Amino acid sequence: MTTDLLSIELQKAANSRIAEVDFNNLPFGKHFSDHMFVADFVDGQWTNLQVVPFDNFTLNPALSALHYGQSIFEGMKAYKNEEGEVLLFRPLDNFHRMNESAKRMCMATLPEEVFMGGLEALLRVDADWVPSTPGSSLYIRPYMFATDTYLGVAPSKTYRFCIFTCPVGVYYSNPPKLKVETDYIRSAPGGVGFAKCAGNYGGSLYPTLLAQQAGYDQLIWTDAIEHKYIEESGTMNIMFFMDGKLVTPATSDSILKGVTRDSIIKVVKSWGVDVEERKVTIEEVITGIENGTLTEAFGAGTAVVVSPYSLIGYQGKDYMLPETADESSFSKKIYNYLNDLRTGRIEDTFGWTHKVV
Ligand code: COI
């Protein structure tokens, strides 16, 4: 594959919408920054690289992404340090994962210079949209979809890659209540669970709705064969603090390889905390809550960062988790550390922060 990388064309918005946004009250995913980056894959090349005003696309009704689901995405965040510089967190990990998703969905892969060049060009023009209020960040949504107009079921030959951004605050205002799902599944061995493809999220909506109607906020997904092992929670990886160790399901072809998950594992190992990445049964989690050896359960993902859970519902019974809001909790300590790292308040000994210049 070759890349037509002559330049990224910039077309600036006539008027900025930034004054319409209350940066002290940022809902997740509702305010979109002024610009977006777009590129098209045509004739085996990425071409037509542009930063343009955020606007609607015109879509052909036969667009194959709409019919057969060749559609993948990533979630990343940018932060501001005290000098007002824009910092990205592990952007190349998202780039590599996007290409893993692309391969599984039989889509075109992206050259690093298109992904990173587009991302940096966009962030330079919309740098003012990166919030500096505590707990806020600029959520970045890179995504790609098939654009062939053909009704046969076959891999598209053309694709659009786009990146847009939105300033966001916290994802959950209160610790969510989770229900262990033992009827529906998110993914199965040999399937697409490890890929960040749109269908994984579409398929999760109905079981999640049923759980919400029963008074829960989100699901804990179990394995497709026995419903015995924990896989993920909602749209996140899941972690437990038990017996003084961090325990989390090992990744597989049915579990997303979360960048936040990996960061937490590396950070807590550097603190000398034992980490177990293995199969985790729902039974041991329930037993741990009952006998007090499991003190925290939390989700890990780009959108939430670290999200402590308040309760786990299993087979009709609710198991309360200890209150974790205070600063001494393990999940809060991880959250604060990651936040300090990403905003440049502490030295980045991992080499994860990437300054946009
Ligand atoms: C993320 O954490 O970036 C995600 O992908 C979750 C998203 C679906 C809100």
Side-chain angles (χ1 to χ4, degrees):
M1 185 197 312
T2 53
T3 315
D4 171 14
L5 254 194
L6 294 178
S7 63
I8 297 176
E9 199 186 303
L10 170 63
Q11 188 194 324
K12 283 201 82 173
N15 297 301
S16 173
R17 288 175 283 99
I18 200 163
E20 295 163 20
V21 179
D22 176 3
F23 277 77
N24 293 308
N25 178 21
L26 289 168
F28 184 86
K30 290 230 165 98
H31 299 297
F32 304 110
S33 315
D34 286 327
H35 298 88
M36 60 186 186
F37 170 75
V38 283
D40 290 310
F41 187 77
V42 183
D43 294 333
Q45 289 200 3
W46 284 100
T47 185
N48 197 21
L49 279 58
Q50 309 176 62
V51 172
V52 290
F54 181 87
D55 205 352
N56 297 341
F57 292 138
T58 301
L59 301 180
N60 187 294
L63 197 88
S64 65
L66 300 178
H67 300 267
Y68 306 126
Q70 274 188 300
S71 176
I72 57 173
F73 71 95
E74 277 298 319
M76 319 165 62
K77 278 182 174 169
Y79 299 80
K80 260 195 189 142
N81 65 14
E82 273 159 16
E83 289 75 47
E85 295 166 319
V86 176
L87 303 177
L88 284 160
F89 186 71
R90 304 187 70 175
L92 288 175
D93 293 81
N94 292 92
F95 159 69
H96 290 302
R97 190 174 63 185
M98 185 140 192
N99 275 344
E100 287 307 307
S101 300
K103 280 183 210 151
R104 179 61 181 85
M105 299 303 288
C106 220
M107 298 167 75
T109 53
L110 284 153
E112 185 179 321
E113 56 275 29
V114 173
F115 186 95
M116 289 303 296
L119 181 58
E120 296 215 19
L122 179 63
L123 291 177
R124 277 195 297 273
V125 73
D126 277 344
D128 288 348
W129 286 82
V130 184
S132 42
T133 38
S136 308
S137 55
L138 189 77
Y139 186 80
I140 302 167
R141 175 50 62 87
Y143 65 109
M144 193 207 297
F145 58 95
T147 52
D148 273 9
T149 51
Y150 167 63
L151 279 191
V153 181
S156 180
K157 292 186 179 60
T158 60
Y159 296 91
R160 171 156 289 185
F161 173 57
C162 178
I163 312 176
F164 66 82
T165 68
C166 29
V168 296
V170 290
Y171 193 83
Y172 287 118
S173 36
N174 290 308
K177 299 181 209 159
L178 279 275
K179 180 196 158 211
V180 179
E181 179 58 66
T182 50
D183 292 321
Y184 297 94
I185 57 162
R186 177 189 166 274
S187 63
V192 294
F194 71 96
K196 217 161 165 63
C197 59
N200 282 340
Y201 296 78
S204 75
L205 298 176
Y206 181 64
T208 307
L209 177 69
L210 295 182
Q212 286 166 349
Q213 286 167 347
Y216 299 94
D217 301 298
Q218 262 301 351
L219 293 175
I220 292 181
W221 299 104
T222 52
D223 72 279
I225 317 276
E226 295 177 87
H227 294 301
K228 179 176 166 190
Y229 300 103
I230 292 175
E231 300 233 305
E232 292 191 21
S233 61
T235 59
M236 297 162 263
N237 293 115
I238 187 165
M239 302 187 141
F240 304 95
F241 192 54
M242 45 174 145
D243 294 323
K245 291 177 290 206
L246 179 74
V247 179
T248 189
T251 53
S252 67
D253 61 355
S254 59
I255 299 181
L256 190 83
K257 290 184 181 55
V259 178
T260 308
R261 175 190 178 280
D262 183 70
S263 307
I264 292 173
I265 290 171
K266 291 192 166 117
V267 165
V268 305
K269 277 187 179 169
S270 79
W271 294 345
V273 175
D274 284 341
V275 176
E276 289 181 6
E277 292 181 75
R278 59 172 172 80
K279 281 179 178 280
V280 181
T281 64
I282 185 62
E283 287 301 338
E284 70 177 298
V285 166
I286 298 301
T287 307
I289 299 175
E290 284 184 320
N291 68 21
T293 52
L294 189 155
T295 49
E296 295 180 46
F298 53 94
T302 301
V304 297
V305 188
V306 171
S307 171
Y309 299 142
S310 60
L311 169 160
I312 293 179
Y314 180 53
Q315 291 181 336
K317 193 169 165 196
D318 289 344
Y319 299 85
M320 293 296 298
L321 285 147
E323 179 71 56
T324 55
D326 71 283
E327 292 293 319
S328 64
S329 73
F330 188 65
S331 53
K332 189 75 182 167
K333 197 173 156 201
I334 297 169
Y335 174 83
N336 287 342
Y337 187 88
L338 285 179
N339 234 14
D340 287 347
L341 197 67
R342 298 203 260 212
T343 49
R345 276 198 293 272
I346 54 174
E347 191 196 348
D348 174 12
T349 51
F350 298 93
W352 287 337
T353 43
H354 174 101
K355 189 159 48 160
V356 176
V357 285

